[in-house]
Amino acid sequence: SGSKLTADGGKGDATIDFTEANLTSAILSGSEITANAGDDATIDLTAANLADADLSGSEITANAGSYGDATIDFTAANLANANLSGSKITADSNYYDAAIDFTKANLANTDLSGSEFTANAAADATIDFNEANLTNADLSGSKITADSNYYDATIDFTKANLANTDLSGSKLTAD
């Protein structure tokens, strides 16, 4: 716990790639996972297995500079029973798109209470839960913010399973 993992792309791209990684029951609480880049900044957890993982209080951040997109991708990731309470997940792009993508992710029984999800961009800012399974997830007190300076800001729950999901005290903002 409390680990720091940083990819610094300087003027180029920065990528941290956990695609299809098995992180079942991993203890990453209080960790900082950061991709800083002058161009594209990407943290890729596509199809990663994070079932029962502890990411409570962690910070996952993709910072893109002047010429790139910022992306944190959990597409089809398994986060069932994971603990992300109090975590901060941030995609920030100075000039282009920022996205946090949970499309088709399994977040069943996941603790996301008090967490903050922020996509901040000059262009499109998107937080996508399209077709995600959030059955029995706890998002109480969470803040989900998509903020675009000039273009579209979107928080998408299209076809997501929100059965028994706790959204009490949550704040969703697309601006």
Side-chain angles (χ1 to χ4, degrees), residues 42-79:
T42 304
I43 299 173
D44 194 349
L45 292 136
T46 300
N49 187 354
L50 290 151
D52 299 303
D54 183 0
L55 290 114
S56 60
S58 62
E59 295 185 17
I60 301 173
T61 308
N63 288 315
S66 300
Y67 303 104
D69 295 333
T71 304
I72 301 173
D73 194 351
F74 287 95
T75 298
N78 181 8
L79 291 130

